[in-house]
């Protein structure tokens, strides 16, 4: 169960490359009287080279720039002061930053930041992004007297968050300073892909921040047995899934016949009886039913639905795994089902074979689906 998410800042939440380019361009334009004898592109390119993606502090960068370009009208100290005062005005977030943090906050989830860098400078960037209030813990290397990959920084974050390493997810872009360092103390890890590196030994790899919520949900799936009190929520899940997810493959007329809005009460009564009779499991994520499945004792997989908000997060796979385990315990030879057009690819990936395509009739409306079968290995 994930209870906290800790983030790196530069390259993870803050698009430092884009921010730096905006700042250098701004600095050149503002200080043009002193710099205009240098072509702008040359000034910007050399700054970025010397900066080494933030690994070199700017006092050394500016000293080298002054020396190489033989600047006379401005000192490196003045250039550095300008950087410290103005960079925060050019901070660029990665896409989906605030929406991702809002989703985590709504869980609710404890959150923290561990960042290498100068204390006030990094805090200024966090405040410029407008995200400081989301975090319970912010640890910046200068103020902590240690920097990543020092495991003590990660242990301190865990202590202040009050979570265990296995309950904490760390998100960063650096394969060593972030991923390996977090793993060394037992945290689960996400590598936010960066083209500078070919890969990282992380538990998960993402390209966009909006992928994080799905990973948290996947980690927090709890599969349990069906309870009578689940019926109302299960039926609501069914209606929402059919009318939104299956709408990609069926017409409005077919959807209305499949899940008639006016028959909810009747369906609750009928389904309650069959769900109790069958082998039925529910996927629970933080108190919300994210999916459910049921199978007859003969091996007929009757229903498998995932909530529209939890698609492609491993819910269906975990439910299907459990049904197959149950079938194995009962020494069943196969599991059969009738899969919708929407569900067919999922079952095919799990080794189900199409027996035939068919058309079933509901309320006088033809509904295409597939009879499918998965043979189980005998032990």
């Amino acid at each position: 169960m994930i209870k906290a998410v800790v983030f790196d800042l530069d390259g993870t939440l803050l698009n430092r490359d884009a921010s730096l380019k905006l700042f250098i361009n701004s600095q050149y334009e503002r200080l043009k009287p002193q710099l205009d004898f240098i072509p702008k592109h040359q000034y910007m390119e050399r700054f970025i080279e010397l900066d080494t993606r933030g690994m070199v502090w700017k006092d050394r960068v500016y000293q080298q720039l002054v020396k190489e370009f033989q600047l006379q009208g401005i000192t490196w100290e003045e250039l550095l002061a300008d950087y410290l005062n103005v960079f925060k005005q050019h901070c660029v977030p990665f896409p989906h930053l605030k929406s991702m943090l809002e989703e985590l906050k709504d869980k609710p989830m404890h959150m923290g930041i561990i960042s290498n860098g100068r204390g006030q400078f990094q805090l200024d960037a966090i405040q410029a992004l407008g995200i400081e209030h989301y975090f319970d813990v912010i640890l910046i290397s200068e103020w902590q007297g240690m920097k990543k990959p020092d495991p003590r920084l990660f242990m301190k974050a865990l202590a202040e968050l009050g979570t265990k390493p296995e309950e904490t997810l760390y998100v960063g872009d650096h394969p060593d300073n972030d991923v390996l360092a977090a793993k060394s103390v037992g945290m689960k890890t996400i590598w936010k892909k960066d083209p500078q590196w070919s890969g990282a030994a992380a538990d998960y790899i993402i390209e966009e921040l909006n992928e994080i919520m799905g990973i948290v949900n996947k980690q927090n799936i709890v599969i349990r047995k069906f309870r009578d009190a689940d019926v109302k929520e299960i039926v609501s899940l069914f209606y929402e899934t059919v009318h939104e997810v299956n709408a990609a493959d069926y017409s409005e007329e077919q959807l209305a016949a499949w899940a008639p809005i006016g028959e909810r009460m009747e369906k609750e009564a009928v389904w309650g009886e069959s769900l109790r009779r069958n082998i039925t499991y529910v996927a629970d994520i933080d108190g919300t039913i994210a999916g459910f499945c049921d199978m007859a004792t003969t091996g007929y997989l009757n229903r498998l639905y995932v909530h529209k908000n939890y698609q492609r997060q491993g819910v269906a796979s975990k439910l299907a795994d459990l049904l197959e385990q149950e079938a194995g315990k009962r020494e069943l030879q196969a599991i059969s089902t009738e899969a919708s057009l929407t569900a067919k690819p999922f079952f095919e990936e799990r080794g189900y074979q199409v027996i035939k395509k068919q058309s079933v009739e509901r309320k006088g409306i033809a509904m295409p689906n597939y009879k499918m079968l998965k043979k189980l290995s005998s032990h």
Side-chain angles (χ1 to χ4, degrees), residues 3-27:
K3 297 181 179 179
V5 183
V6 181
F7 298 89
D8 168 53
L9 178 61
D10 294 327
T12 302
L13 304 180
L14 171 71
N15 187 336
R16 188 181 178 280
D17 291 345
S19 302
L20 189 63
K21 288 176 183 177
L22 281 177
F23 166 75
I24 303 168
N25 181 76
S26 167
Q27 183 175 68

Side-chain angles (χ1 to χ4, degrees), residues 112-316:
I113 288 177
I114 301 176
S115 176
N116 283 350
R118 302 297 175 99
Q120 191 59 52
F121 185 84
Q122 296 298 85
L123 183 59
D124 285 346
I126 293 168
Q127 292 172 339
L129 293 173
I131 60 174
E132 182 182 12
H133 64 284
Y134 289 105
F135 298 98
D136 306 288
V137 176
I138 296 175
L139 302 180
I140 302 172
S141 62
E142 181 188 34
W143 288 343
Q144 300 304 315
M146 49 187 164
K147 66 179 183 178
K148 296 183 291 185
D150 192 326
R152 293 176 298 167
L153 263 177
F154 297 86
M155 295 303 295
K156 183 171 184 179
L158 291 169
E160 293 193 17
L161 288 167
T163 56
K164 298 175 183 177
E166 62 271 20
E167 299 171 335
T168 307
L169 192 60
Y170 186 87
V171 186
D173 69 304
H174 197 289
D176 298 325
N177 292 347
D178 291 318
V179 173
L180 290 183
K183 288 190 76 149
S184 74
V185 301
M187 290 180 174
K188 291 183 170 63
T189 57
I190 296 177
W191 179 51
K192 186 175 182 299
K193 288 180 72 172
D194 187 304
Q196 182 179 2
W197 293 284
S198 58
D203 298 297
Y204 300 95
I205 297 173
I206 63 171
E207 294 191 2
E208 301 287 346
L209 293 175
N210 60 358
E211 298 173 58
I212 293 172
M213 195 71 254
I215 292 171
V216 171
N217 287 335
K218 189 172 186 178
Q219 285 285 320
N220 289 354
I221 298 171
V222 175
I223 307 295
R224 60 172 175 79
K225 290 185 177 180
F226 164 77
R227 299 191 287 253
D228 287 347
D230 296 328
V231 173
K232 189 177 184 66
E233 191 173 351
I234 280 175
V235 171
S236 292
L237 183 157
F238 163 73
Y239 275 94
E240 291 182 17
T241 300
V242 168
H243 285 280
E244 294 202 30
V245 177
N246 295 100
D249 299 294
Y250 293 90
S251 68
E252 290 186 13
E253 186 180 41
Q254 289 171 324
L255 297 174
W258 186 354
I261 300 299
E263 296 182 6
R264 284 193 185 222
M265 296 295 290
E266 179 184 343
K267 194 170 290 293
E268 286 176 19
V270 174
W271 276 28
E273 183 179 343
S274 65
L275 291 169
R276 282 189 293 272
R277 183 175 62 249
N278 289 343
I279 302 164
T280 306
Y281 289 99
V282 166
D284 186 297
I285 297 178
D286 301 326
T288 296
I289 294 179
F292 73 96
C293 65
D294 70 305
M295 181 177 69
T297 55
T298 57
Y300 175 68
L301 198 165
N302 190 24
R303 286 161 289 217
L304 175 57
Y305 289 94
V306 176
H307 193 288
K308 63 184 179 66
N309 294 339
Y310 296 96
Q311 298 285 313
R312 298 177 195 79
Q313 296 179 17
V315 175

Side-chain angles (χ1 to χ4, degrees), residues 300-360:
Y300 175 68
L301 198 165
N302 190 24
R303 286 161 289 217
L304 175 57
Y305 289 94
V306 176
H307 193 288
K308 63 184 179 66
N309 294 339
Y310 296 96
Q311 298 285 313
R312 298 177 195 79
Q313 296 179 17
V315 175
S317 294
K318 287 201 172 186
L319 289 169
D321 285 345
L322 200 51
L323 288 183
E324 290 178 21
Q325 290 171 22
E326 285 292 334
K329 290 177 185 177
R330 295 166 186 267
E331 298 183 345
L332 298 176
Q333 299 300 305
I335 298 177
S336 63
T337 192
E338 293 179 76
S340 67
L341 302 178
T342 315
K344 176 176 173 278
F346 167 79
F347 285 109
E348 286 180 323
E349 287 181 6
R350 295 190 63 85
Y352 284 73
Q353 295 182 335
V354 173
I355 304 302
K356 70 173 182 177
K357 185 176 182 179
Q358 62 184 9
S359 179
V360 298

